[in-house]
Amino acid sequence: MKNILLTGTAGFIGSNFAPYFLEKYPEYNLINLDLLTYAGNLENIKECESNPRYKFIKGDICNRELVEFIFNEYDIQGVIHFAAESHVDNSIKNPSVFIETNINGTFTLLDVAQKYWMDKPFTYKENYIGCRFHHISTDEVYGTLNETDLFTEETPYTPNSPYSASKASSDMIVRSYQETYGMNTVITNCSNNYGPKQHDEKL
Ligand SMILES: NC(=O)c1ccc[n+]([C@@H]2O[C@H](COP(=O)([O-])OP(=O)(O)OC[C@H]3O[C@@H](n4cnc5c(N)ncnc54)[C@H](O)[C@@H]3O)[C@@H](O)[C@H]2O)c1
């Protein structure tokens, strides 16, 4: 059994992901770190509560001491990082929490993972070869589309709001850990989702 750290799975996308993953991959335990901001709701993940392969920890991804404790206590072998301040309109009214959570929080997780999994640049510790950091980002880092164009992975980054700038910054930090330390990272830049468990503010 391997333990994966999920962040932000009391929110919309993570709370759809966690029960799906638990059922599909019985060889993994999931540890969910979530601060339960206004966007997080334990009701969203109550279907996971009684699963012995699922554990919830209330806390902040920016809290380095806590993140280090979780890596050591649960011998974390993968991270899937959903936690973020995610609403563009809020980022216009109050950008500072976006910078703190989306940039500093991502950095904290990444740096703790790199030090826990790796001996030195491009060298994973024997028991941690293959450990991966999956950063969930957004297509908003590519800017604004007109009626006909498409984004691709080659589209230049053009973030237009404090939200998308904070996500673009976190993407760059993740990229730098791949390039500088040889860390196994993946960044996914999905477009807008909608569906069950979505916060009303996004409708
Ligand atoms: N919703 C979309 O359509 C969409 C589209 C593209 C990308 N994304 C990205 O997907 C991810 C998940 O989006 P979502 O819509 O589910 O978000 P959401 O706002 O519904 O949920 C965010 C979760 O993160 C938690 N959180 C916030 N700050 C935290 C902190 N400091 N420490 C720990 N937990 C914290 C919240 O409590 C909440 O449970 C985000 O990274 C977002 O940028 C979302």
Side-chain angles (χ1 to χ4, degrees):
M1 291 292 269
K2 286 188 178 173
N3 295 337
I4 295 190
L5 175 62
L6 302 183
T7 66
T9 43
F12 166 44
I13 298 180
S15 65
N16 282 285
F17 175 84
Y20 165 82
F21 191 90
L22 276 174
E23 194 182 329
K24 186 156 180 178
Y25 298 103
E27 67 276 27
Y28 290 99
N29 298 311
L30 299 182
I31 291 91
N32 173 21
L33 174 62
D34 194 304
L35 188 58
L36 296 181
T37 66
Y38 79 94
N41 186 346
L42 284 180
E43 276 293 299
N44 286 344
I45 40 168
K46 66 172 186 299
E47 67 219 88
C48 298
E49 258 168 23
S50 57
N51 191 316
R53 293 189 293 110
Y54 174 83
K55 178 163 184 67
F56 176 77
I57 298 171
K58 180 170 188 244
D60 192 336
I61 58 168
C62 302
N63 181 343
R64 186 171 184 113
E65 213 177 309
L66 174 62
V67 175
E68 284 174 343
F69 168 80
I70 293 170
F71 268 76
N72 283 304
E73 183 74 9
Y74 296 100
D75 191 26
I76 296 298
Q77 306 231 350
V79 176
I80 307 177
H81 173 36
F82 294 94
E85 287 293 334
S86 69
H87 191 43
V88 176
D89 295 356
N90 293 345
S91 83
I92 295 163
K93 286 183 215 122
N94 181 20
S96 63
V97 69
F98 285 72
I99 304 303
E100 183 61 17
T101 292
N102 299 357
I103 304 178
N104 291 338
T106 301
F107 164 71
T108 301
L109 291 165
L110 199 57
D111 195 56
V112 171
Q114 187 259 324
K115 291 187 168 55
Y116 190 76
W117 294 338
M118 302 182 80
D119 275 327
K120 56 182 181 187
F122 296 90
T123 311
Y124 269 80
K125 296 175 187 168
E126 201 179 317
N127 293 338
Y128 299 97
I129 293 165
C131 291
R132 173 181 283 175
F133 190 101
H134 184 162
H135 176 56
I136 313 291
S137 190
T138 168
D139 68 345
E140 295 197 33
V141 298
Y142 300 120
T144 309
L145 275 180
N146 60 30
E147 294 276 313
T148 52
D149 288 344
L150 300 170
F151 295 135
T152 74
E153 285 87 348
E154 310 297 316
T155 306
Y157 273 41
T158 321
N160 288 328
S161 68
Y163 165 64
S164 53
S166 68
K167 294 296 286 190
S169 305
S170 62
D171 291 5
M172 294 298 140
I173 297 169
V174 175
R175 178 190 153 85
S176 78
Y177 271 65
Q178 172 99 35
E179 297 299 315
T180 305
Y181 302 110
M183 206 171 159
N184 180 353
T185 67
V186 175
I187 303 171
T188 48
N189 298 89
C190 67
S191 54
N192 281 346
N193 291 252
Y194 68 95
K197 305 179 181 177
Q198 188 161 28
H199 197 284
D200 293 349
E201 71 180 357
K202 299 265 177 54
L203 272 177

